[in-house]
Every structure is written in structure tokens, then in C-alpha cells.
Amino acid sequence: MVAATGFFDGVHIGHRLVIGRLVKAAHDRGDESMVVTFWPHPRTVLQQEARNLRLLTSMSEKEALLKGLGVDRVEVIPFTKEFGALTTREYFEKYLVGRYGVDAIVLGYDNRMGSDARDADGVRQIAESMGLDVIWTEKVTSGQGLEVSSTKIRNEIGRGNVTRAADMLGYSYSLFGVVVSGEQIGSRVLGFPTANMQLYEPLKVVPANGVYFVKVHTLGREFYGMCNIGNRPTVREGNARTIETNIFDFSEDIYGLDIRLDFLRRIREEIRFSSFTQLKAQLARDRFYCRSLMSR
């Protein structure tokens, strides 16, 4: 068994290098590839600034991404305080070798693990002392020359930089949820009906407030649209934050159904207008611009 282990939040381009090496090594050895990961995130259990933690992928999204890259098995270990107290050697002995029969491991250049916080070289030494083959991967940078990490991607999304985040992820960042009822101001007052989303994973990173050009997945089909994230200050002060999307060329009832948004580009910041008339005019300009992007 050839394995890679870690949280792999986002399964970004750095992770993808590790997974690519994993799948190739398993194929070359005539063996299975396996990712050993954890849930929930260690910080939520160890309470290390847990209130500020937001994730790029839910567990189901992460597993789907890993399987889509050719991984044969994804094993999820429940992360508890007891598990978090294991040293690197104890983790190898009890889980990687003892439970899963791993005989080769793929390590990223910045791998750290165990309560003893071993760096990649320390992990390599332990793995080799136990008779495991070690396969190295190098540092990865984005097309813009940025060093890639899940933390950096979360920060970019939190600032609304979804195109820069996509460059580091290797795909467009998505939110997945269910369509819920709203105040219907978009359809009744503005002439821009919206699908209001409630996230399935409340710990997902939500992009900064603003208007975004998005691809919409619902009813087994794909559409384009524009999404507003924010507190709708033109409607009234003190609104709860919402995620609402005007889907282009769409009029079907999808309340209670799944919806996924792929964030393609941020169009503008959220603005407080002095009237609904001004807001409606801006929405028309936003839609015109988003439609111009559909053919690019």
C-alpha cells in the first residue's frame, strides 16, 4: 500500500502534486494508492483559534476531489484529543503500518505531523527506520509565482480574490448548499429573482462581500449567473449576511433543491444605494458585464 497523509484542505495544486506522485507510485508498484486524512479539522478539537477557522472543502468534497485524481482509497480518521496526542512514530505504528499496512509513503516538502511536530525530514527518518519507502515532492508555486498553501487560499477567498484562489487551487472555488426562501425583494421589487443559498457545510470559507460572476449547478445542468454576498445595505441596515444568485435565463422553482456556485470573478464590492431605482440600474449593468464574460 502506498499512502499520503494529511488534512488536504482544498486539494490544491500542491496537494495535487503529492497525489499525482502517489497514484503513479502505486501504479508502478502494482499496488493500491491511499490517502489517510482526518475529520474534523485538528484546530476545532485542539481549540487553536478554532472560532476563526473556515475550510475550503467539506469532507465529502475533499473525498470526491481525491477520488477524481485517481486515488483508490480514502480513509478518514476521527480527530480526537487522544489521536492528536500521538507522536509521529506512534501514528505510523498504530495507523499507517499497523492498521493500513502501508509500505511506502509520499511526503510533501512541508509535511509536519504528530504531537512532536516533526518536519518533513524528521518524518522521513521515522518512516525509513520502520522500513517504509519514502517518495519526496518539491515545493509548488502558482502561475502567479505564489507559494501555495491552504491558509493563503483561504485568505485570498476571504478578500474576494477568487481568481487568484483558483490559480492556487487548480479549479474555481465553490460553495454547495440548498435553496431556501428569502424576502423575494429581488423578484418583486427589482426584477432580478434570486436563489438564496444555505450552506451544507457552515465552516466553509465564504468570499468577501460583493458581486461575483458565477457558474451555477442545479437540476443536473449548468447555468451562468451573478451572485451577491453581503448584508443588502440598500434594503435596510442590520440584515443578516446572505448568498443570493440571479441565474441567467432561468425561471424554474428550485426551492429545497441542491445548488452549487463556482466563483469565476469578483465584479465589484457591495454598495449601499440611495434608492431601489439606483440599485436596479446597477444590477442591469452587472448582468450586462457578466454576460459579456460568458463568451470569453
Side-chain angles (χ1 to χ4, degrees), residues 1 44 60 100 120 128 136 141 154 162 166 178 183 188 196 210 231 233 238 255:
M1 181 70 69
T44 66
S60 59
Y100 301 121
E128 290 179 344
W136 282 101
T141 57
R154 294 184 199 114
V162 294
V178 61
E183 297 182 55
R188 292 177 178 174
N196 298 285
N231 305 95
Y255 287 122

Side-chain angles (χ1 to χ4, degrees), residues 130-148:
M130 298 178 66
L132 276 66
D133 295 332
V134 175
I135 301 158
W136 282 101
T137 60
E138 62 272 15
K139 183 187 297 187
V140 175
T141 57
S142 72
Q144 299 176 2
L146 299 172
E147 188 175 325
V148 176

Side-chain angles (χ1 to χ4, degrees), residues 33-45:
S33 60
M34 177 174 65
V35 168
V36 182
T37 189
F38 325 107
W39 195 265
H41 194 284
R43 279 168 54 185
T44 66
V45 176

Side-chain angles (χ1 to χ4, degrees), residues 3 5 11 23 26 38 41 50 55 64 74 84 133 145 151 192 204 251 268 278 287:
T5 183
V11 193
V23 171
F38 325 107
H41 194 284
L55 300 175
V74 177
D133 295 332
T151 298
F192 286 83
K204 283 270 286 186
S251 60
R268 62 173 174 85
Q278 287 186 353
R287 181 167 60 185

Side-chain angles (χ1 to χ4, degrees), residues 173-189:
Y173 183 68
S174 299
L175 293 179
F176 186 42
V178 61
V179 179
V180 296
S181 59
E183 297 182 55
Q184 298 188 336
I185 291 173
S187 56
R188 292 177 178 174
V189 179

Side-chain angles (χ1 to χ4, degrees), residues 263-276:
F263 288 82
L264 305 180
R265 184 178 298 188
R266 191 177 195 224
I267 303 305
R268 62 173 174 85
E269 297 180 351
E270 187 177 43
I271 302 169
R272 183 183 185 278
F273 295 92
S274 60
S275 68
F276 283 140

